[in-house]
Amino acid sequence: GDSVTQMEGPVTLSEEAFLTINCTYTATGYPSLFWYVQYPGEGLQLLLKATKADDKGSNKGFEATYRKETTSFHLEKGSVQVSDSAVYFCALLKSGGSYIPTFGRGTSLIVHP
Amino acid sequence: EAGVTQSPTHLIKTRGQQATLRCSPISGHTSVYWYQQALGLGLQFLLWYDEGEERNRGNFPPRFSGRQFPNYSSELNVNALELEDSALYLCASSTGQPKRTDTQYFGPGTRLTVL
């Protein structure tokens, strides 16, 4: 079945450091890929998405590129802030199936001043 | 535009009791999804409702059930509560015209604690 694998957390960084959170997936067909973010005490919200190979999603300084050849969708940010501390979820969704997203287990990011 | 709302924010029950959680989707959305987020386990899909019908169900026992009302709001019922049901229950909505580019919009969740 479909699956999403994220790097284990927590990821701990100092403010202004470069961030990479790895995400790889296994799926048949052509899924769309998403990054959702969950700030403390809140539900998830969409951070960015990409719907086809080589697409780059971007938002709030975060970027991720849909790499079909490596089945990856790594999240990056050039300079993190304390306010970026949250849990980040990678997810995929494809047509012709259950239309239920498959989520990774989440990666906690902690940014220190 | 109002987002997805959930009530109550917190719910404390004892083992064996029943819990009812409520969700109101974004206006114009007809699909409602329920997820369980237990500590360390990520999001586990529970139920999907669209246009008043149950469309899909995750790998949970029958004591987890729900319904969707004509105004597209939804209830999740958990019967015969067990300690391991303690979790954050998230509701999400979407437009209800399933396609692979769909974004789900999440509510803030209901924290259920079973004592």
Side-chain angles (χ1 to χ4, degrees):
Chain A
D2 301 338
S3 67
V4 174
T5 303
Q6 293 181 231
M7 59 191 293
E8 293 275 336
V11 173
T12 304
L13 295 172
S14 297
E15 205 165 26
E16 299 184 2
F18 184 85
L19 168 71
T20 300
I21 299 179
N22 290 337
C23 170
T24 58
Y25 68 91
T26 302
T28 56
Y30 299 96
S32 292
L33 301 173
F34 304 77
W35 277 102
Y36 286 85
V37 59
Q38 185 178 30
Y39 297 104
E42 299 182 11
L44 279 69
Q45 58 184 269
L46 179 69
L47 181 59
L48 53 84
K49 68 180 181 183
T51 60
K52 61 183 188 295
D54 300 325
D55 265 4
K56 178 187 282 187
S58 61
N59 186 25
K60 299 181 181 180
F62 291 89
E63 293 183 340
T65 301
Y66 188 163
R67 301 285 187 203
K68 193 168 188 297
E69 63 276 14
T70 54
T71 62
S72 64
F73 193 54
H74 304 321
L75 182 67
E76 296 182 336
K77 186 176 185 183
S79 176
V80 293
Q81 305 300 312
V82 172
S83 57
D84 294 327
S85 298
V87 180
Y88 293 81
F89 292 89
C90 185
L92 69 83
L93 180 63
K94 63 183 191 183
S95 59
S98 65
Y99 292 106
I100 305 301
T102 300
F103 286 89
R105 296 180 68 140
T107 301
S108 175
L109 170 65
I110 301 168
V111 181
H112 293 293
Chain B
E1 178 184 273
V4 177
T5 59
Q6 292 186 245
S7 63
T9 304
H10 294 90
L11 190 56
I12 299 175
K13 295 285 187 178
T14 56
R15 200 168 46 180
Q17 285 189 314
Q18 179 198 36
T20 298
L21 289 64
R22 297 180 176 83
C23 172
S24 291
I26 289 173
S27 177
H29 286 188
T30 63
S31 271
V32 171
Y33 303 78
W34 287 96
Y35 295 90
Q36 182 192 68
Q37 187 179 20
L39 203 60
L41 292 181
L43 269 72
Q44 306 294 314
F45 165 69
L46 271 163
L47 290 159
W48 170 29
Y49 292 95
D50 183 58
E51 297 284 359
E53 302 284 332
E54 182 180 301
R55 301 296 186 185
N56 208 327
R57 182 182 181 84
N59 189 24
F60 280 83
R63 58 190 185 83
F64 287 84
S65 65
R67 54 180 171 166
Q68 187 178 34
F69 299 99
N71 67 353
Y72 305 115
S73 67
S74 176
E75 256 181 21
L76 174 68
N77 295 294
V78 188
N79 293 320
L81 284 165
E82 300 179 1
L83 297 178
E84 52 265 34
D85 297 333
S86 295
L88 181 67
Y89 289 84
L90 293 168
C91 169
S93 74
S94 70
T95 59
Q97 297 169 353
K99 45 190 186 298
R100 67 177 187 85
T101 55
D102 276 350
T103 296
Q104 294 200 341
Y105 296 84
F106 285 80
T110 292
R111 173 72 62 186
L112 173 63
T113 302
V114 183
L115 303 175

